[in-house]
Structure formats: C-alpha cells, structure tokens
Amino acid sequence: ERQHAAVPGPVGAFADGATGFGVVETARGRLAHRVRLQGDRVEDARILAPTDWNCHPRGVMAACLGALPCDARARQRAALVVECIDPCVAYAIEDDSHA
C-alpha cells in the first residue's frame, strides 16, 4: 500500500536540537529535507534533491549514458537522455573517444 506524507500541523514549541525530516516523490525523483532547530532558529538545513540522485556517478543518468552506442547519433542520444531524466541540469557533451 502506498504511504502518503502527513499533512503538517501547526508549529509548536520544540526542544533545542529538534530535527525534522521529510521525503516526497516528485516528477523528477525523490526530494528529501532535513532541518535541525536550536531555539526558534534553524541551526542546520539540508536538501537532497532529485538531481543529486539522478546525476550521481552510479545513478540512473550515468547508467543510461554508459549504455548508449558510440555512433554518429551518440551526441543526440546523450542530450535526449539528460533532458528526459533531469531537464534542470545544465550540461555539455564532450567527445572523449580519442583519449
């Protein structure tokens, strides 16, 4: 059964060092936030965005790009992979076949 994120309630008093964590599936992939409070201030906040997962060296984009054939349409295919997986990423395609 699919789990749904809890609807946030009103903010009350939290103990110093209280930490909140939330994860949601988005159109581009999993998005996670973690926040640690100190008094009424945010002491630390971290975000793990879909791009972090998608563009990881062992992530889906690297796997897809590594599986592409090296032929005359390689650049076109590589651009399509990047744009389909994570259109928010700026990229440049380089030819390292002569390395």
Side-chain angles (χ1 to χ4, degrees), residues 36-73:
R36 186 171 55 241
L37 303 176
Q38 188 66 40
D40 62 350
R41 300 185 79 97
V42 173
E43 180 177 76
D44 186 45
R46 305 286 171 108
I47 299 171
L48 186 55
T51 299
D52 298 323
W53 301 101
N54 295 339
C55 297
H56 187 276
R58 290 184 287 165
V60 66
M61 193 175 306
C64 290
L65 291 171
L68 293 178
C70 292
D71 60 15
R73 295 182 58 203

Side-chain angles (χ1 to χ4, degrees), residues 5 11-12 21 23 27 31 45 49 59 62 80 86-87 90 93 95-96 99:
V11 175
F21 186 75
V23 178
L31 171 64
L80 185 59
D86 202 329
I93 298 172
D95 181 359
D96 67 353

